[in-house]
PDB file of all heavy atoms in Angstrom:
ATOM      1  N   GLU B 136     154.349 185.516  93.997  1.00 89.00           N
ATOM      2  CA  GLU B 136     154.370 184.189  94.663  1.00 89.00           C
ATOM      3  C   GLU B 136     155.638 183.426  94.323  1.00 89.00           C
ATOM      4  O   GLU B 136     156.217 182.774  95.174  1.00 89.00           O
ATOM      5  CB  GLU B 136     153.146 183.361  94.192  1.00 89.00           C
ATOM      6  CG  GLU B 136     151.801 183.898  94.590  1.00 89.00           C
ATOM      7  CD  GLU B 136     151.548 183.723  96.073  1.00 89.00           C
ATOM      8  OE1 GLU B 136     151.910 182.717  96.643  1.00 89.00           O
ATOM      9  OE2 GLU B 136     151.030 184.698  96.705  1.00 89.00           O
ATOM     10  N   ILE B 137     155.994 183.488  93.073  1.00 91.00           N
ATOM     11  CA  ILE B 137     157.164 182.762  92.595  1.00 91.00           C
ATOM     12  C   ILE B 137     158.426 183.365  93.212  1.00 91.00           C
ATOM     13  O   ILE B 137     159.325 182.625  93.634  1.00 91.00           O
ATOM     14  CB  ILE B 137     157.251 182.782  91.080  1.00 91.00           C
ATOM     15  CG1 ILE B 137     156.014 182.112  90.453  1.00 91.00           C
ATOM     16  CG2 ILE B 137     158.515 182.117  90.582  1.00 91.00           C
ATOM     17  CD1 ILE B 137     156.059 180.609  90.447  1.00 91.00           C
ATOM     18  N   GLU B 138     158.443 184.677  93.283  1.00 90.00           N
ATOM     19  CA  GLU B 138     159.603 185.323  93.925  1.00 90.00           C
ATOM     20  C   GLU B 138     159.781 184.799  95.352  1.00 90.00           C
ATOM     21  O   GLU B 138     160.890 184.504  95.778  1.00 90.00           O
ATOM     22  CB  GLU B 138     159.395 186.839  93.920  1.00 90.00           C
ATOM     23  CG  GLU B 138     159.299 187.481  92.562  1.00 90.00           C
ATOM     24  CD  GLU B 138     160.498 188.336  92.217  1.00 90.00           C
ATOM     25  OE1 GLU B 138     161.604 187.969  92.632  1.00 90.00           O
ATOM     26  OE2 GLU B 138     160.300 189.374  91.583  1.00 90.00           O
ATOM     27  N   LYS B 139     158.663 184.685  96.036  1.00 88.00           N
ATOM     28  CA  LYS B 139     158.682 184.185  97.411  1.00 88.00           C
ATOM     29  C   LYS B 139     159.218 182.754  97.410  1.00 88.00           C
ATOM     30  O   LYS B 139     160.093 182.394  98.218  1.00 88.00           O
ATOM     31  CB  LYS B 139     157.305 184.176  98.017  1.00 88.00           C
ATOM     32  CG  LYS B 139     157.021 185.369  98.924  1.00 88.00           C
ATOM     33  CD  LYS B 139     155.752 185.152  99.751  1.00 88.00           C
ATOM     34  CE  LYS B 139     154.583 185.907  99.168  1.00 88.00           C
ATOM     35  NZ  LYS B 139     153.281 185.520  99.693  1.00 88.00           N
ATOM     36  N   LEU B 140     158.692 181.993  96.503  1.00 89.00           N
ATOM     37  CA  LEU B 140     159.073 180.562  96.397  1.00 89.00           C
ATOM     38  C   LEU B 140     160.560 180.403  96.146  1.00 89.00           C
ATOM     39  O   LEU B 140     161.253 179.577  96.710  1.00 89.00           O
ATOM     40  CB  LEU B 140     158.305 179.913  95.265  1.00 89.00           C
ATOM     41  CG  LEU B 140     158.466 178.391  95.123  1.00 89.00           C
ATOM     42  CD1 LEU B 140     158.013 177.673  96.346  1.00 89.00           C
ATOM     43  CD2 LEU B 140     157.743 177.890  93.887  1.00 89.00           C
ATOM     44  N   ILE B 141     161.111 181.306  95.323  1.00 88.00           N
ATOM     45  CA  ILE B 141     162.491 181.209  94.933  1.00 88.00           C
ATOM     46  C   ILE B 141     163.399 181.471  96.129  1.00 88.00           C
ATOM     47  O   ILE B 141     164.462 180.895  96.236  1.00 88.00           O
ATOM     48  CB  ILE B 141     162.782 182.215  93.791  1.00 88.00           C
ATOM     49  CG1 ILE B 141     162.133 181.697  92.520  1.00 88.00           C
ATOM     50  CG2 ILE B 141     164.293 182.392  93.573  1.00 88.00           C
ATOM     51  CD1 ILE B 141     162.042 182.751  91.416  1.00 88.00           C
ATOM     52  N   LYS B 142     162.904 182.312  97.023  1.00 85.00           N
ATOM     53  CA  LYS B 142     163.716 182.601  98.217  1.00 85.00           C
ATOM     54  C   LYS B 142     163.775 181.426  99.195  1.00 85.00           C
ATOM     55  O   LYS B 142     164.633 181.390 100.087  1.00 85.00           O
ATOM     56  CB  LYS B 142     163.148 183.844  98.911  1.00 85.00           C
ATOM     57  CG  LYS B 142     163.375 185.100  98.105  1.00 85.00           C
ATOM     58  CD  LYS B 142     163.177 186.379  98.919  1.00 85.00           C
ATOM     59  CE  LYS B 142     163.157 187.597  98.051  1.00 85.00           C
ATOM     60  NZ  LYS B 142     161.805 188.169  97.906  1.00 85.00           N
ATOM     61  N   THR B 143     162.874 180.478  99.009  1.00 83.00           N
ATOM     62  CA  THR B 143     162.864 179.253  99.776  1.00 83.00           C
ATOM     63  C   THR B 143     164.085 178.435  99.413  1.00 83.00           C
ATOM     64  O   THR B 143     164.791 178.740  98.477  1.00 83.00           O
ATOM     65  CB  THR B 143     161.559 178.500  99.372  1.00 83.00           C
ATOM     66  OG1 THR B 143     160.488 179.273  99.768  1.00 83.00           O
ATOM     67  CG2 THR B 143     161.476 177.111  99.945  1.00 83.00           C
ATOM     68  N   GLU B 144     164.286 177.338 100.149  1.00 80.00           N
ATOM     69  CA  GLU B 144     165.445 176.459  99.782  1.00 80.00           C
ATOM     70  C   GLU B 144     165.157 175.676  98.516  1.00 80.00           C
ATOM     71  O   GLU B 144     166.069 175.319  97.796  1.00 80.00           O
ATOM     72  CB  GLU B 144     165.759 175.477 100.882  1.00 80.00           C
ATOM     73  CG  GLU B 144     165.039 175.604 102.236  1.00 80.00           C
ATOM     74  CD  GLU B 144     163.544 175.601 102.112  1.00 80.00           C
ATOM     75  OE1 GLU B 144     162.994 174.514 101.787  1.00 80.00           O
ATOM     76  OE2 GLU B 144     162.894 176.620 102.385  1.00 80.00           O
ATOM     77  N   ALA B 145     163.901 175.391  98.258  1.00 87.00           N
ATOM     78  CA  ALA B 145     163.562 174.511  97.122  1.00 87.00           C
ATOM     79  C   ALA B 145     163.944 175.146  95.790  1.00 87.00           C
ATOM     80  O   ALA B 145     163.547 176.275  95.508  1.00 87.00           O
ATOM     81  CB  ALA B 145     162.077 174.196  97.143  1.00 87.00           C
ATOM     82  N   PRO B 146     164.680 174.443  94.960  1.00 93.00           N
ATOM     83  CA  PRO B 146     165.027 175.002  93.649  1.00 93.00           C
ATOM     84  C   PRO B 146     163.827 175.100  92.741  1.00 93.00           C
ATOM     85  O   PRO B 146     162.940 174.285  92.751  1.00 93.00           O
ATOM     86  CB  PRO B 146     166.056 174.010  93.094  1.00 93.00           C
ATOM     87  CG  PRO B 146     165.926 172.792  93.885  1.00 93.00           C
ATOM     88  CD  PRO B 146     165.319 173.115  95.202  1.00 93.00           C
ATOM     89  N   VAL B 147     163.846 176.172  91.937  1.00 94.00           N
ATOM     90  CA  VAL B 147     162.771 176.463  91.002  1.00 94.00           C
ATOM     91  C   VAL B 147     163.391 176.700  89.649  1.00 94.00           C
ATOM     92  O   VAL B 147     164.300 177.523  89.507  1.00 94.00           O
ATOM     93  CB  VAL B 147     161.971 177.712  91.402  1.00 94.00           C
ATOM     94  CG1 VAL B 147     160.899 178.041  90.398  1.00 94.00           C
ATOM     95  CG2 VAL B 147     161.412 177.582  92.814  1.00 94.00           C
ATOM     96  N   VAL B 148     162.908 175.994  88.626  1.00 96.00           N
ATOM     97  CA  VAL B 148     163.346 176.254  87.279  1.00 96.00           C
ATOM     98  C   VAL B 148     162.143 176.689  86.471  1.00 96.00           C
ATOM     99  O   VAL B 148     161.172 175.927  86.350  1.00 96.00           O
ATOM    100  CB  VAL B 148     164.037 175.055  86.622  1.00 96.00           C
ATOM    101  CG1 VAL B 148     164.442 175.382  85.206  1.00 96.00           C
ATOM    102  CG2 VAL B 148     165.252 174.613  87.439  1.00 96.00           C
ATOM    103  N   LEU B 149     162.193 177.871  85.915  1.00 96.00           N
ATOM    104  CA  LEU B 149     161.112 178.315  85.062  1.00 96.00           C
ATOM    105  C   LEU B 149     161.404 177.937  83.620  1.00 96.00           C
ATOM    106  O   LEU B 149     162.582 177.809  83.242  1.00 96.00           O
ATOM    107  CB  LEU B 149     160.937 179.863  85.152  1.00 96.00           C
ATOM    108  CG  LEU B 149     160.701 180.458  86.505  1.00 96.00           C
ATOM    109  CD1 LEU B 149     160.462 181.948  86.384  1.00 96.00           C
ATOM    110  CD2 LEU B 149     159.502 179.806  87.177  1.00 96.00           C
ATOM    111  N   PHE B 150     160.382 177.787  82.815  1.00 96.00           N
ATOM    112  CA  PHE B 150     160.602 177.594  81.394  1.00 96.00           C
ATOM    113  C   PHE B 150     159.463 178.216  80.624  1.00 96.00           C
ATOM    114  O   PHE B 150     158.416 178.577  81.201  1.00 96.00           O
ATOM    115  CB  PHE B 150     160.758 176.119  81.021  1.00 96.00           C
ATOM    116  CG  PHE B 150     159.479 175.326  81.019  1.00 96.00           C
ATOM    117  CD1 PHE B 150     158.873 174.941  79.814  1.00 96.00           C
ATOM    118  CD2 PHE B 150     158.873 174.974  82.204  1.00 96.00           C
ATOM    119  CE1 PHE B 150     157.667 174.224  79.820  1.00 96.00           C
ATOM    120  CE2 PHE B 150     157.697 174.238  82.210  1.00 96.00           C
ATOM    121  CZ  PHE B 150     157.088 173.879  81.013  1.00 96.00           C
ATOM    122  N   ASP B 151     159.677 178.438  79.334  1.00 95.00           N
ATOM    123  CA  ASP B 151     158.716 179.035  78.443  1.00 95.00           C
ATOM    124  C   ASP B 151     158.435 180.506  78.753  1.00 95.00           C
ATOM    125  O   ASP B 151     158.492 181.315  77.861  1.00 95.00           O
ATOM    126  CB  ASP B 151     157.399 178.209  78.474  1.00 95.00           C
ATOM    127  CG  ASP B 151     156.441 178.682  77.361  1.00 95.00           C
ATOM    128  OD1 ASP B 151     156.940 178.822  76.226  1.00 95.00           O
ATOM    129  OD2 ASP B 151     155.245 178.854  77.611  1.00 95.00           O
ATOM    130  N   ARG B 152     158.108 180.814  80.003  1.00 92.00           N
ATOM    131  CA  ARG B 152     157.830 182.178  80.416  1.00 92.00           C
ATOM    132  C   ARG B 152     158.914 182.702  81.345  1.00 92.00           C
ATOM    133  O   ARG B 152     159.563 181.912  82.038  1.00 92.00           O
ATOM    134  CB  ARG B 152     156.516 182.255  81.196  1.00 92.00           C
ATOM    135  CG  ARG B 152     155.499 181.229  80.793  1.00 92.00           C
ATOM    136  CD  ARG B 152     154.715 181.709  79.628  1.00 92.00           C
ATOM    137  NE  ARG B 152     153.797 180.712  79.181  1.00 92.00           N
ATOM    138  CZ  ARG B 152     152.601 180.452  79.760  1.00 92.00           C
ATOM    139  NH1 ARG B 152     152.246 181.138  80.813  1.00 92.00           N
ATOM    140  NH2 ARG B 152     151.788 179.526  79.287  1.00 92.00           N
ATOM    141  N   TYR B 153     159.042 183.986  81.427  1.00 90.00           N
ATOM    142  CA  TYR B 153     159.904 184.557  82.442  1.00 90.00           C
ATOM    143  C   TYR B 153     159.512 185.996  82.714  1.00 90.00           C
ATOM    144  O   TYR B 153     158.657 186.564  82.001  1.00 90.00           O
ATOM    145  CB  TYR B 153     161.383 184.476  82.070  1.00 90.00           C
ATOM    146  CG  TYR B 153     161.808 185.446  81.005  1.00 90.00           C
ATOM    147  CD1 TYR B 153     162.702 186.497  81.316  1.00 90.00           C
ATOM    148  CD2 TYR B 153     161.335 185.362  79.706  1.00 90.00           C
ATOM    149  CE1 TYR B 153     163.091 187.391  80.337  1.00 90.00           C
ATOM    150  CE2 TYR B 153     161.725 186.253  78.745  1.00 90.00           C
ATOM    151  CZ  TYR B 153     162.594 187.271  79.044  1.00 90.00           C
ATOM    152  OH  TYR B 153     162.975 188.154  78.104  1.00 90.00           O
TER     153      TYR B 153
END
Side-chain angles (χ1 to χ4, degrees):
Chain B
E136 295 288 319
I137 299 281
E138 297 249 35
K139 261 193 258 167
L140 185 62
I141 289 166
K142 290 197 190 106
T143 296
E144 351 56 68
V147 178
V148 178
L149 302 185
F150 75 106
D151 190 45
R152 329 276 177 79
Y153 74 113

